Amino acid sequence: MKKLFTSESVTSGHPDKICDQISDAILDAYLSQDKNAKVACEVCVHKNGVLIMGEVTSQNLVDIESIAREKIIEIGYDNDSLEFNGEKVPITIHMNTQSPDIALGVEKEDMGAGDQGMVFGYATNETDKYLPMPIYYAHALAKQLELARKKKILPYLRPDGKTQVTVEYENGIPKRIDSIVIAAQHNPDISLEKLKEDIKREVIFKIIPKKLLDEKSNYYINTTGRFVLGGPASDSGLTGRKIIVDTYGGYARHGGGAFSGKDASKVDRSGAYYARYVAKNIVAAALAKEIEIQVSYAIGYSKPVSISINTNGTNSIEEEKILAVIKQVFDFSPKHMITELKLDTPIYQETTCYGHFGKNLPWEKLDKIATIKEVLKNLK
């Protein structure tokens, strides 16, 4: 049976991603001084201003406005022609201290979860990064689009952009790329024909293997004809509004909690990272070709309320045994997750663009394969 599946990604200049990057830059600034800092930082951007709000509990202070301006300029919004300039845009800051009711549960010795909720982790062996192929290539195209801008390979490009990849599956196996959609912000003096030719040559064909493309593959580039006005000048942005881009492109479920701007006591971030870590090691140990893990928490409790798995029939042993192995090898308590994955260190700016998974980050390590196999061997 054949089916199509589509995932999208965005560049760093997308309005929502600007917000994610500012939020995590602020988080990293606090963690670099105070590994016990509790941060929940939300950002909203619009052509007329930047709003930074949330809660922080820390013994240290950081220059939030300077961090935001530096990040906006670094992304590429550094001149008035874009109608959003990090040098000049008004910035409003409303940061309060963390709720004492939440602190009661989080700051106890065994460190309870910072909120109730559920998280999902996923891994598949269909790409070398253990990610589904649609999101894998959507991210790669978005990254290449940005590289073409920053390296001035295509000097007329502007910071905003989106990519989308549709993969054709046959009996659950990815066979070919059916279509690619790219929206690239550009200077007003470039023709649509040249832009399309350049994007194919310098972005699409630099990333997508020839074996995945054929005469039936479709390319949709700047389908409205012009994309001159973009970023916060044309659309507002908000932290946490790209949660499917950040995870598995819709191929696996999502618990609903955003990641950026939150320290690791918030299990909708740390739990999702740890669940990915578990799923990747299970697939790498060949217990299943793919696995989705759900973990749920109650505020103030250190142990999960529930853990469940789904291998979609790709398991090499019974799912009950896989779950038993997971419970013996891995510890989903917040304190342990933070310690094992070093989540109290300033690593979060590395996560915000092109997905939180498939990078050289602690939750991507494959260090439990031997332990998994040993526990499985001794499992009755």
Side-chain angles (χ1 to χ4, degrees):
M1 185 182 78
K2 293 183 179 181
K3 73 169 187 177
L4 301 177
F5 194 90
T6 303
S7 295
E8 72 162 353
S9 185
V10 298
T11 63
S12 69
H14 186 281
D16 296 331
K17 273 295 153 205
I18 296 171
C19 297
D20 287 342
Q21 290 169 91
I22 295 172
S23 293
D24 273 337
I26 293 168
L27 171 61
D28 277 354
Y30 277 104
L31 291 177
S32 66
Q33 301 180 57
D34 177 8
K35 69 177 185 178
N36 296 313
K38 299 295 180 288
V39 182
C41 179
E42 314 287 342
V43 178
C44 179
V45 298
H46 184 263
K47 67 180 296 184
N48 295 321
V50 177
L51 172 62
I52 302 172
M53 54 195 167
E55 298 80 41
V56 175
T57 299
S58 175
Q59 297 177 352
N60 298 89
L61 297 174
V62 302
D63 188 345
I64 292 175
E65 180 177 337
S66 293
I67 290 169
R69 292 195 186 281
E70 289 170 9
K71 181 58 65 175
I72 293 167
I73 293 167
E74 175 191 315
I75 291 167
Y77 291 101
D78 57 0
N79 64 82
D80 292 342
S81 68
L82 299 173
E83 299 188 29
F84 184 77
N85 187 343
E87 297 278 3
K88 303 177 180 179
V89 64
I91 295 178
T92 303
I93 301 170
H94 294 292
M95 297 293 286
N96 303 312
T97 56
Q98 185 185 50
S99 163
D101 295 334
I102 295 176
L104 284 174
V106 173
E107 294 176 358
K108 62 185 184 179
E109 187 174 348
D110 62 347
M111 190 177 189
D115 201 354
Q116 70 175 55
M118 70 283 191
V119 299
F120 288 90
Y122 179 79
T124 172
N125 67 0
E126 71 182 46
T127 64
D128 61 350
K129 298 295 185 181
Y130 293 83
L131 289 171
M133 187 176 286
I135 193 67
Y136 177 91
Y137 281 118
H139 285 324
L141 288 172
K143 193 172 183 179
Q144 181 67 15
L145 184 64
E146 180 146 343
L147 180 71
R149 172 177 65 91
K150 289 194 170 182
K151 295 289 187 180
K152 300 190 183 303
I153 299 167
L154 302 179
Y156 55 79
L157 290 179
R158 289 180 169 184
D160 200 356
K162 300 179 77 173
T163 63
Q164 186 173 289
V165 174
T166 300
V167 174
E168 181 182 285
Y169 287 79
E170 186 172 343
N171 298 322
I173 306 298
K175 292 296 185 179
R176 57 181 291 274
I177 289 181
D178 181 80
S179 61
I180 293 171
V181 180
I182 293 181
Q185 187 188 13
H186 58 86
N187 291 339
D189 55 354
I190 193 72
S191 71
L192 180 61
E193 290 74 19
K194 178 171 174 51
L195 182 140
K196 286 183 176 181
E197 291 174 4
D198 289 350
I199 292 295
K200 283 184 179 180
R201 185 185 67 253
E202 298 295 341
V203 179
I204 296 174
F205 297 147
K206 288 284 179 72
I207 294 299
I208 306 299
K210 290 182 179 179
K211 65 181 181 180
L212 293 176
L213 299 171
D214 56 34
E215 67 280 359
K216 293 183 179 180
S217 297
N218 300 298
Y219 308 99
Y220 303 96
I221 300 170
N222 284 32
T223 51
T224 61
R226 277 170 61 87
F227 185 10
V228 173
L229 192 64
S234 64
D235 191 12
S236 61
L238 185 65
T239 298
R241 204 158 57 181
K242 285 290 176 284
I243 58 177
I244 299 302
V245 171
D246 288 343
T247 51
Y248 308 103
Y251 205 89
R253 285 173 285 194
H254 195 292
F259 297 158
S260 293
K262 298 176 180 178
D263 71 87
S265 70
K266 285 75 173 175
V267 290
D268 45 4
R269 185 170 208 170
S270 55
Y273 288 172
Y274 199 78
R276 160 66 175 177
Y277 170 55
V278 176
K280 189 175 177 182
N281 276 269
I282 291 294
V283 172
L287 273 59
K289 293 180 180 179
E290 67 171 305
I291 188 170
E292 181 184 73
I293 301 173
Q294 186 201 53
V295 186
S296 68
Y297 290 91
I299 188 169
Y301 281 78
S302 61
K303 297 296 182 183
V305 173
S306 67
I307 303 174
S308 65
I309 65 170
N310 178 17
T311 63
N312 289 320
T314 67
N315 47 308
S316 59
I317 63 171
E318 297 91 336
E319 285 193 347
E320 292 81 2
K321 286 188 177 180
I322 297 176
L323 186 56
V325 169
I326 289 172
K327 289 180 177 179
Q328 285 195 42
V329 176
F330 299 96
D331 182 350
F332 283 87
S333 62
K335 187 174 183 179
H336 178 85
M337 294 190 299
I338 291 170
T339 300
E340 184 167 6
L341 299 183
K342 297 180 172 59
L343 300 180
D344 55 359
T345 55
I347 57 175
Y348 294 102
Q349 290 180 77
E350 297 176 45
T351 68
T352 50
C353 295
Y354 319 116
H356 290 240
F357 306 123
K359 300 176 177 178
N360 186 26
L361 289 162
W363 45 91
E364 296 293 317
K365 60 185 178 179
L366 294 173
D367 62 344
K368 297 293 188 183
I369 298 172
T371 305
I372 287 169
K373 292 181 177 179
E374 186 64 27
V375 167
L376 182 60
K377 186 169 60 176
N378 296 325
L379 195 65
K380 295 181 180 181

